[in-house]
Amino acid sequence: MLLRTENFQQFVRYYPIFTSIVTINILVFLCTAIPFLPNRTIFESLAGVNLWISQGEYWRLLTPIILHSSFSHLLFNCFSTVLFGPYIEKLLGSFNVLLFYILCGIAGNTATYIIHPLTYTHSGASGAIYGLLGFYLYLVMFQKRQLSTQDSQRIVVLTIVGVVMSTFQPNINIVGHLGGLMAGFFLAPIFFKNPFRFLGRFGQAGTKF
């Protein structure tokens, strides 16, 4: 399930949403990293700055999802997106998985805004990615037939390791991670029922996992 066997063209065709998400993340990072572009203005316009959110710039609860502060930050989150996203996109459909991903990201950023001080600034897709892990945890606990025993064990181990690393590593937004994880877990039973199934099946090809 977590191991990708598709080539690049197959991945793009089977998983248009997460292909698009990774592409947007890379393009936005390039816009903030290329020296001759107004990169600081772009970064500052999209970052989750709690003080500015408190003053009405509520788009900052969403835009940090596509913003990354370093190449290693971008690389790790893109890898995690490619690892965890495809199975859920196949399961839910394109519209549902995009809505789920965005809501988990917003939940993580909202938790960050509520708990951290107004001086706190953050960026990254980790809250949305932890939301994907939350979806898997729901499957592990309540939809066991969807996953093999090995996959269930991998998900539990990866989640524990991720939370522990978030706790002990410096400059990691543990609040955003846990907010996204909890949102993913509690939203999962709603989205598992495919509430917008009629909107979510474009771009889906048969794939074995």
Side-chain angles (χ1 to χ4, degrees), residues 46-68:
L46 300 178
V49 183
N50 282 353
L51 176 61
W52 294 341
I53 295 172
S54 72
Q55 296 176 354
E57 297 186 3
Y58 298 117
W59 69 82
R60 296 179 185 275
L61 295 174
L62 171 64
T63 53
I65 299 173
I66 61 172
L67 189 67
H68 294 85

Side-chain angles (χ1 to χ4, degrees), residues 63-78:
T63 53
I65 299 173
I66 61 172
L67 189 67
H68 294 85
S69 58
S70 67
F71 179 72
S72 60
H73 190 199
L74 171 74
L75 186 63
F76 183 81
N77 278 353
C78 286

Side-chain angles (χ1 to χ4, degrees), residues 16-18 86-100 191 194 196-197 199-202 204:
I17 294 302
F18 285 108
Y87 179 76
I88 300 180
E89 182 169 350
K90 180 66 178 178
L91 189 64
L92 298 186
S94 299
F95 181 84
N96 278 345
V97 80
L98 178 60
L99 181 60
F100 179 83
F191 279 83
N194 270 343
F196 305 104
R197 184 187 298 271
L199 292 173
R201 304 315 300 181
F202 65 86
Q204 304 286 314

Side-chain angles (χ1 to χ4, degrees), residues 12-58:
V12 171
R13 185 167 71 253
Y14 296 162
Y15 315 114
I17 294 302
F18 285 108
T19 298
S20 300
I21 288 171
V22 170
T23 302
I24 291 171
N25 287 344
I26 293 172
L27 291 176
V28 171
F29 177 77
L30 290 176
C31 288
T32 63
I34 296 175
F36 58 81
L37 292 177
N39 45 60
R40 295 314 306 172
T41 301
I42 295 171
F43 193 94
E44 291 168 3
S45 298
L46 300 178
V49 183
N50 282 353
L51 176 61
W52 294 341
I53 295 172
S54 72
Q55 296 176 354
E57 297 186 3
Y58 298 117

Side-chain angles (χ1 to χ4, degrees), residues 2 24 34 40 61 81 84 98-99 101 111 124 129 135-136 140 147-148 158 209:
L2 297 180
I24 291 171
I34 296 175
R40 295 314 306 172
L61 295 174
T81 300
F84 298 123
L98 178 60
L99 181 60
Y101 182 89
I129 293 169
F135 188 95
Y136 282 114
V140 169
L147 305 174
S148 68
L158 287 171
F209 293 92

